[in-house]
Amino acid sequence: MDLTPLGLVAAPLAAGVPGQRAQASSGQLLTACRLAWENDGRLVAMWGTDERYRQRGFGLRVVVEDREGLTLLEHTLPDDRARYPDVTPIFPAANRMQRATFDLLGIAAEADDTRPWLWAESHATREFPLRRDYTVSEPQASRQDEYEFVRVDGEGVHEIAVGPVHAGIIEPGHFRFQVVGEKVLRLEERLGYTHKGVEKRFASCSIDEGEKLAGRICGDSTVAYAWAYAQAVESAAGVLPPVRARWLRALCLERERLANHLGDLGAIGNDAGFAFGLAQFSRLREDVLRANATAFGHRLLMDVVVPGGVAQDLAFEHVHAMHDEAGRIARQVRRIREIYDEHAGVQDRFRGAGRASPELARTMGLVGLAGRASGEAHDLRCEYPCSPYDLLDVRMAVQSAGDVWARVAVRFDEALESARLLGIITTALLDPATMSPVQCALPSRTSANVAIGYVEGWRGPVMMALELDDDWTIRRCRPQDPSWCNWPVIEHAVIGNIVADFPLINKSFNLAYSGQDL
Amino acid sequence: MYETLRQILRVGLPSEAAPAAAPDDVVVRRLHEDILRTLGRALTIRHVDAGSCNACELEAQALSNPYYNLEGLGIRHVASPRHADALMVTGPVTTHMAVALRRTYDAMPEPKLVIAAGSCAIGCGIYGANYATVGEVAKILPVDIAIPGCPPSPTALLQGILAAIQASAAKR
């Protein structure tokens, strides 16, 4: 995106993908967002930061992505009475980000919807956790129950409240349905139940502790988060980790993708009443996790990716074992896929359920796996392949039906693609050309104070933004889960479906709670 | 249908024997006896995520895969706390989940076993105590068994559940 016609001075952005940053006035902020939208772009993240200690008031950060990479727009508010422009008319996904920014920092957009999102408590106390002078360490009384849901009136309309405690072993969130008969008229999501002060915690972390915390923002995507964090740190340092570390990271990320897709394919089958699918896929998933534990000492691969490289190398015997395993799993996935495809009952539940049309996906900014099932052909591994993906030639899986079936189809394609990539990666790890140390040291001073890591996790793109002092003190760390952009789309995708299909539809998106609640 | 049956036959029975409830050895039959003596029927567990990162949930879900064969041991996850003998809690209890957690516990019948699973449930983990967390589960509920790990493996979870049953049997 060329910012010069807007009168903006762009500087290069230290990031894992091509990027630029620029200071923007409120008018320029809106124009830049509109320009990004017109260039086939989307909103990635939005957050605020307290810069009063540097006499700069409050900062608002907006990250947009278009065909040329990331643009970080930096806007300054002199104090908390100033407002910044509402960008929801351009990017609807900004609604909850703007509300969360107020909850945590007390700076508001010129928007109509001022309801709390993550942390209602600030609205009463006027004390905001992410301000540097906020010192409260005692738990605050929860005001989560006071939320104003939008209600639908009319003959025969009734309301169904579900959560935060659900029937299965899943994360907590609340869903409020307005229903006529069996049909859903309206769904409103209420999240924030797992808000545990992650962003505040980052400000007291060293760079190494930060990796541990980053790897625990969203347990199913620990490799993606740890890599995005490491990428941000390495971008700030101006270093590239050794070649073997890069291949090992790709190995871990594809194993994470494979394990999650296998788990979801089973669980979605189960929600369609096909227990056979759950039994088969949960067994395959367990095989992957057990191999992880044998090779890396952790089933979910937590703390394997660290700033500067990876924590440990992989013994050749494990590389060989993982090579064979990839082929074995691919064969079984193909076989079970045929069974799914041939099963009339399963197909009947999948087809047409929870449809997010390509138009809706584009308007709402649906990202990642769910986006690709609705025709949004974006995958960082293909668009901005960081090493070693530049050598892997990843085949992007895209569907346009936008229903449960399409999200299942994308998962099947991506699971098989990950298995294929794992075959290539394990071969590369045996090649003498990839023999190197697995970690490099970081310099004692940073070369950039703002850096962004951006990695295609199994659910979608995971972003980590770091603002640092020269001596590596973390001023602000903002993790952004793809779920921020995707949760609002479910509210649209369920309209007109029957209530009983909601678990199936929700599982087919499988969005994060902890990753978004922070 | 033919392919489905063929795949089932091809895979066979992957279920494994249950691990011993650490630290001492107990055979599966003994376990069944413990469950029956303590509860007179199967053990039922209600899980509550009180702010976890989802890693503990993934591992608790894995207990239901064919390898661990949880239900074969007479242990089952249930949807309602009113049907539950034990409550398994994960996460550093967030202020937003504290009420829901307490209500879930109150709705349970005796013996109201409480299992705190994972480093966060035991001591807040990496997140630490802060404005948004009430703290470890023991601050809210009487914990019978704590299962360390980040996250605890399915085997560790199973050992913990078995230990909870034994602890409950010993109380009588």
Side-chain angles (χ1 to χ4, degrees):
Chain A
M1 181 164 70
D2 185 9
L3 293 172
T4 17
L6 310 182
L8 287 169
V9 185
L13 174 68
V17 296
Q20 57 181 349
R21 52 186 287 213
Q23 283 284 338
S25 68
S26 36
Q28 288 167 327
L29 187 67
L30 274 186
T31 328
C33 285
R34 202 165 290 120
L35 187 64
W37 163 256
E38 285 160 5
N39 284 349
D40 201 18
R42 47 188 169 149
L43 178 70
V44 175
M46 179 186 233
W47 70 95
T49 175
D50 180 3
E51 302 203 301
R52 288 173 300 166
Y53 74 107
R54 297 199 293 167
Q55 284 73 49
R56 291 192 200 173
F58 293 93
L60 180 77
R61 310 279 184 256
V62 179
V63 177
V64 292
E65 181 194 344
D66 66 1
R67 293 283 176 199
E68 288 155 58
L70 294 178
T71 301
L72 167 65
L73 298 160
E74 301 169 328
H75 178 60
T76 303
L77 299 163
D79 54 49
D80 59 7
R81 288 185 303 278
R83 297 277 179 273
Y84 60 87
D86 178 15
V87 302
T88 52
I90 305 166
F91 298 121
N95 172 287
R96 290 169 182 180
M97 300 180 204
Q98 290 178 176
R99 288 157 63 190
T101 302
F102 181 83
D103 295 347
L104 299 177
L105 203 65
I107 54 170
E110 291 159 338
D112 297 331
D113 192 350
T114 56
R115 292 175 299 165
W117 181 247
L118 285 185
W119 188 245
E121 289 66 9
S122 305
H123 293 248
T125 60
R126 308 301 295 178
E127 291 185 69
F128 302 93
L130 284 185
R131 290 192 178 181
R132 297 173 80 96
D133 52 12
Y134 181 89
T135 51
V136 178
S137 56
E138 302 80 46
Q140 303 297 290
S142 175
R143 301 166 60 90
Q144 189 79 343
D145 286 347
E146 300 167 18
Y147 193 72
E148 288 172 50
F149 289 96
V150 177
R151 304 188 77 144
V152 179
D153 289 325
E155 198 179 335
V157 180
H158 68 283
E159 190 177 73
I160 304 175
V162 186
V165 179
H166 297 286
I169 307 172
I170 49 173
E171 297 186 85
H174 182 96
F175 301 102
R176 192 65 66 94
F177 297 92
Q178 315 288 328
V179 178
V180 163
E182 282 193 292
K183 279 221 161 71
V184 177
L185 287 178
R186 192 174 201 286
L187 160 66
E188 196 169 352
E189 297 149 358
R190 178 82 192 105
L191 304 182
Y193 287 92
T194 66
H195 179 67
K196 46 195 171 284
V198 166
E199 288 174 280
K200 186 77 175 173
R201 176 78 180 89
F202 263 117
S204 61
C205 281
S206 68
I207 286 292
D208 289 341
E209 286 170 333
E211 182 284 312
K212 295 221 160 23
L213 184 56
R216 284 160 184 80
I217 290 170
C218 182
D220 55 50
S221 303
T222 177
V223 176
Y225 272 91
W227 190 348
Y229 176 82
Q231 202 182 60
V233 171
E234 289 148 13
S235 300
V239 299
L240 190 65
V243 58
R244 191 163 185 79
R246 305 199 297 264
W247 282 99
L248 286 167
R249 284 179 178 183
L251 176 89
C252 292
L253 190 67
E254 294 311 318
R255 292 188 71 80
E256 179 171 274
R257 191 181 323 276
L258 181 61
N260 278 292
H261 283 359
L262 292 173
D264 282 355
L265 286 168
I268 296 169
N270 196 49
D271 277 348
F274 197 36
F276 162 85
L278 180 63
Q280 294 291 328
F281 279 116
S282 62
R283 176 179 60 82
L284 292 177
R285 177 183 155 85
E286 180 72 17
D287 289 342
V288 176
L289 300 190
R290 286 183 178 193
N292 286 348
T294 311
F296 290 103
H298 198 286
R299 287 166 49 94
L300 303 177
L301 303 172
M302 279 178 173
D303 305 326
V304 174
V305 178
V306 296
V310 292
Q312 70 211 70
D313 202 347
L314 193 57
F316 279 0
E317 59 186 280
H318 298 315
V319 179
H320 283 294
M322 285 181 174
H323 184 88
D324 298 344
E325 181 202 33
R328 197 167 56 239
I329 287 180
R331 276 194 298 282
Q332 300 206 41
V333 169
R334 279 194 201 94
R335 201 181 290 147
I336 306 171
R337 182 179 201 170
E338 269 179 38
I339 293 172
Y340 269 43
D341 285 348
E342 298 294 316
H343 196 292
V346 166
Q347 293 300 312
D348 182 53
R349 293 289 305 278
F350 284 0
R351 293 273 183 178
R355 185 158 188 271
S357 69
E359 299 73 43
L360 179 73
R362 168 80 181 116
T363 310
M364 299 290 289
L366 193 65
V367 298
L369 177 158
R372 288 190 288 278
S374 294
E376 287 287 297
H378 296 289
D379 187 325
L380 295 177
R381 296 175 300 163
C382 308
E383 292 175 295
Y384 313 108
C386 68
S387 174
Y389 285 103
D390 50 346
L391 303 174
L392 286 173
D393 196 19
V394 178
R395 297 174 201 150
M396 199 191 304
V398 186
Q399 294 286 341
S400 58
D403 51 6
V404 173
W405 176 85
R407 288 183 284 276
V408 168
V410 169
R411 280 187 174 88
F412 269 119
D413 288 339
E414 291 190 354
L416 291 169
E417 178 66 358
S418 286
R420 185 185 75 87
L421 296 175
L422 285 168
I424 301 173
I425 294 167
T426 44
T427 307
L429 282 169
L430 296 171
D431 185 338
T434 64
M435 299 305 152
S436 78
V438 294
Q439 257 191 69
C440 66
L442 297 173
S444 58
R445 320 280 299 172
T446 60
S447 64
N449 297 111
V450 175
I452 287 182
Y454 202 33
V455 170
E456 189 76 33
W458 71 268
R459 188 180 277 119
V462 168
M463 189 212 73
M464 272 284 186
L466 271 178
E467 298 189 24
L468 301 156
D469 284 331
D470 290 342
D471 63 356
W472 289 107
T473 308
I474 299 177
R475 282 207 301 260
R476 181 85 169 85
C477 178
R478 168 67 185 185
Q480 186 85 11
D481 196 272
S483 305
W484 280 98
C485 296
N486 290 5
W487 271 117
V489 181
I490 296 188
E491 293 185 343
H492 293 262
V494 298
I495 293 173
N497 285 261
I498 58 172
V499 179
D501 265 347
F502 177 70
L504 175 69
I505 296 166
N506 195 30
K507 189 72 204 175
S508 74
F509 281 91
N510 195 6
L511 302 179
Y513 298 72
S514 179
Q516 144 139 10
D517 291 346
L518 298 169
Chain B
M1 196 63 210
Y2 171 69
E3 281 304 320
T4 307
L5 291 172
R6 235 182 109 201
Q7 173 70 7
I8 290 171
L9 286 175
R10 203 183 270 135
V11 171
L13 278 181
S15 301
E16 298 165 342
D24 52 327
D25 265 2
V26 183
V27 288
V28 177
R29 201 179 306 116
R30 187 53 210 292
L31 172 74
H32 281 287
E33 285 165 9
D34 278 343
I35 295 178
L36 286 172
R37 192 168 54 244
T38 314
L39 305 160
R41 58 198 148 72
L43 175 76
T44 53
I45 304 175
R46 171 66 248 197
H47 164 265
V48 170
D49 172 344
S52 147
C53 75
N54 199 27
C56 291
E57 282 57 48
L58 294 175
E59 294 298 56
Q61 283 167 10
L63 276 179
S64 302
N65 76 36
Y67 285 113
Y68 300 103
N69 189 24
L70 192 70
E71 300 208 356
L73 297 173
I75 304 166
R76 201 158 60 90
H77 285 285
V78 289
S80 170
R82 299 193 192 285
H83 304 154
D85 306 306
L87 181 64
M88 183 186 280
V89 190
T90 57
V93 183
T94 63
T95 60
H96 288 167
M97 279 306 291
V99 174
L101 176 61
R102 183 79 224 179
R103 282 182 193 158
T104 306
Y105 178 79
D106 289 344
M108 287 170 60
E110 293 293 332
K112 285 177 179 284
L113 293 174
V114 176
I115 302 166
S119 309
C120 297
I122 296 172
C124 282
I126 181 89
Y127 311 109
N130 65 37
Y131 69 93
T133 55
V134 179
E136 61 264 26
V137 177
K139 282 193 181 166
I140 314 233
L141 302 175
V143 172
D144 294 284
I145 291 289
I147 308 172
C150 184
S153 66
T155 309
L157 287 171
L158 198 46
Q159 284 171 335
I161 293 167
L162 304 187
I165 296 165
Q166 289 182 342
S168 166
K171 265 199 262 180
R172 298 193 158 207

